Each structure stands twice: as C-alpha cells, then as structure tokens.
Amino acid sequence: MKILLVDDESELVSALAERLSFRGFDADWVCSGADAIDKVKENEYDLAVLDVKMPRMSGLELRAELNKIRSGMKYIFLSGHGSEDDYKAGAAEAECYLVKPVKIEELVEKINLALESE
C-alpha cells in the first residue's frame, strides 16, 4: 500500500513516514500542499494522511485538489489545532480524524481500517 503523508512539520512527518515504512507501508512525505499535488500527479497513492492546518493550503483544501487528480484515494486527517469548525468543514468526510500527538500504532490501525473499507 502506498501512502502519502503531508504536514508542514518536517521532523514529525519524516518520522511518521519512517515508522510506517518499518511496518511495511510504502510511505512518501512532503511538507506542503503544492508538493503533495506534484507527488500525486507522479504516483498512485492508496491513502493520504493530511495535516488540517498548514500554511498556504489547508488539508481540507488539499483534499479537494487531490480528489480532482485521483478520485478514490482515502484520507486521514491529523491536527494539532483541530476544532469543531475544522471537523464540520470537511474532516468528518475523511476516513478518520486524529489529534496530534498520534501514536504510531493508532495511525497504523486507522490506515488499515481505511484501506479495508469500500
């Protein structure tokens, strides 16, 4: 399974990608919405893990752009500043909405559940 992680916190996202790779996932990471769009144009991902609050393009806006490129991709949202407004604005439509800090075991569980769902 190929996963794209997008978060403006490079240390966090690179560590998550490395830990997912140790658990058998093919995980790429980027730190901006623009870089994520480029990655999705070049690769086929099964799932994207998106930070809700990022500069220039939010995770919610990014999901809308990525859906135009690759429909059917699953999404998990991460947020350190999540609010009820974020959730109502679209995160509720994702497979999962997790609040940072997230435990890698919880993320792996949610990824597996999302990938198993139709």
Side-chain angles (χ1 to χ4, degrees), residues 16 19-20 23 25 76 98 101-113:
L16 284 176
R19 289 177 183 153
L20 289 175
R23 286 161 175 82
F25 294 98
I76 291 175
L98 298 172
V102 62
K103 293 181 179 176
I104 192 66
E105 294 82 11
E106 181 180 21
L107 181 58
V108 167
E109 178 186 338
K110 299 301 182 186
I111 288 171
N112 285 329
L113 286 173

Side-chain angles (χ1 to χ4, degrees), residues 58-71:
S58 75
L60 300 174
E61 293 167 329
L62 178 58
R63 181 188 62 182
E65 292 301 314
L66 296 180
N67 275 336
K68 294 176 188 174
I69 301 166
R70 298 245 189 263
S71 63

Side-chain angles (χ1 to χ4, degrees), residues 6 17-19 29 36 41 43-45 53 63 70-71 82 93 95 101 110:
V6 187
E18 182 178 52
R19 289 177 183 153
W29 62 274
K41 286 179 178 174
N43 300 280
E44 294 220 11
Y45 293 98
K53 301 269 187 189
R63 181 188 62 182
R70 298 245 189 263
S71 63
E93 297 171 19
E95 274 62 36
K110 299 301 182 186

Side-chain angles (χ1 to χ4, degrees), residues 3-49:
I3 297 170
L4 178 63
L5 296 108
V6 187
D7 195 307
D8 59 317
E9 297 177 50
S10 63
E11 289 183 27
L12 170 73
V13 72
S14 65
L16 284 176
E18 182 178 52
R19 289 177 183 153
L20 289 175
S21 295
F22 290 153
R23 286 161 175 82
F25 294 98
D26 184 2
D28 290 336
W29 62 274
V30 294
C31 292
S32 73
D35 289 343
I37 290 169
D38 289 342
K39 280 282 197 186
V40 169
K41 286 179 178 174
E42 298 168 0
N43 300 280
E44 294 220 11
Y45 293 98
D46 299 296
L47 182 140
V49 179

